[in-house]
Amino acid sequence: MNWPALVLFSCTIFTLALALLTARRDAFPAKFYYVCMLLSSAWWSGAAGMENWQTAPADKILWAKLAWLGIVTVPCYWTLFVWAYVKGDNRPPTWLGQLALWLMPLLTCLIAFTNDQHHWLYVSTLPVSDAPGAAIRYLHGPWFYLCALYLYGYMTLSMLVIINALARANALYRQHYLGLAIAMAIPWLANAAHLTGLVTLFDFDPTPFSFLIMGGIFYWLITHRQWFDLLPIAHDALFDAIPDAVLVVDDQQHIARLNHAAQALPNMPANAIGLPLKLLPYFDNLLPTLWDRLLPVEFELQLDDAYYDLRSVTIYYLQQPIGLLLVLRNITHHKQSQLALQQALISLEAQLESNAQLQQQLHQAAILDPLTNLHNRRFLDEVTPNLLSHSTQQQQTISLVMIDLDHFKTINDHYGHSAGDEVLRHMAQLLRRYSRQTDLLFRLGGEEFLVILPDTSAAQALRLTEGWREQLLAQPALVNGTPMPVTFSAGIVEVAYASNTFDTAIAYADMALYRAKDAGRNRSELASPKNKIAIQSTFAIFD
């Protein structure tokens, strides 16, 4: 039974399974490099297992040459993994970085397969004994030691990164870094022992076997210590990842630190660290109000066309102010939206006022007769319910006067419609001039007018109507400078309070008007006693 080969194959299978398990996890910093490191180590241990499995020396040497692809890439990916993990960098490598990373492994493989022509990698490759399947003793050439220097340089760099992280980490993340250091030290020490000849395993390089131990440590860290669930986010990465501008000011009021967002502030120099804060004009006047405040200071700041919400916190040590933490949140979009909303509200108010005026104008146009500018029948329908309600509350009487110009058709036929229009306008002006402010004037159509007289009896309405008749005779209409005498007939009706309709009242006024016309025109008639209006309501009946 070839136990070394079986152990190496087991290590390969375990490492591949761990790579698959890790690849299926959610994204975490350095995931790409970690998976690539596991695949490279699986290649190395798999090639080493095949080398142990083979019995012919030539086959063993072939697999030893193939193993160099993993040998060179494992430390490279490991160092990149440690660096990115500690820095919290989740960015995948660029194609140029990948090409540079693979340059040394591919070149080493090329030298390995052409070793017989130059012996740069192996000076000699001889079995350690005559036994079938005996291990090969490799005498190394100059390229081997150059590769060792290259790989140990990577490993040294990764160890320095971990030591630096250990010095800065808290207790929780220190366990992660210690796990990294221990896992890295095992294959490193195994390889160093093999190179110096101190330790061999089955007459073979123990480094591939060490990957089984390293994989076990990784698996324990992942499953029991939640290695990738509690990720250490590097201070620098976290500071620069903050989307708000953050500045740390020392006790000399110089900029001690700033993140990428702060570097993009207006007039911020490229090398701002160490710059006195007063050299930035928008901070100079603010320093007295910011320094040595027990509570955070917050106010709005405008820089050029941008708006910021500035929050300042004084940093204390031993009850002494030692610095300031300034956080500037860009609220330009919010401010512009606020200003736009205010402008929209102003525009909306103006539009609403304009619409109200237009609506009022349209309403006036709808309820006014365009020729005489008196109210029309539509307004009569609107106003009568309020008049009836008011008369009921005040227990007042309303009188209606229905007026019709006499022989108006003759005027239109002999003098034209323009003359008739002038007469109608004159009549409207006369009614407007000699009526009371509380009276309502209507042109119902043609030469017919209606006057509503609130709080007025029929007798009072008759006296007012006769006054209008006298004024019309004294002030005839002028058509092209020529007086146009005209008279009118009127029907008057009294509407008692608590009435709920004007329709009957208007009908009685019409009847009285026609009696005036039948009686010879140019006169007023009251509704006759036998036809006096009786209108029912919920309150009373008037007759």
Side-chain angles (χ1 to χ4, degrees), residues 247 265 277 280-287 301 310 326 328:
L247 297 96
L265 290 174
L277 200 64
L280 297 175
Y282 42 84
F283 284 130
D284 185 23
N285 297 330
L286 299 178
L287 285 176
L301 180 66
L310 172 62
L326 304 180
L328 289 88

Side-chain angles (χ1 to χ4, degrees), residues 366-385:
I367 63 175
L368 292 179
D369 172 52
L371 178 63
T372 62
N373 209 29
L374 298 181
H375 292 111
N376 58 19
R377 187 177 292 274
R378 178 175 180 177
F379 185 68
L380 177 64
D381 296 334
E382 292 183 11
V383 76
T384 50

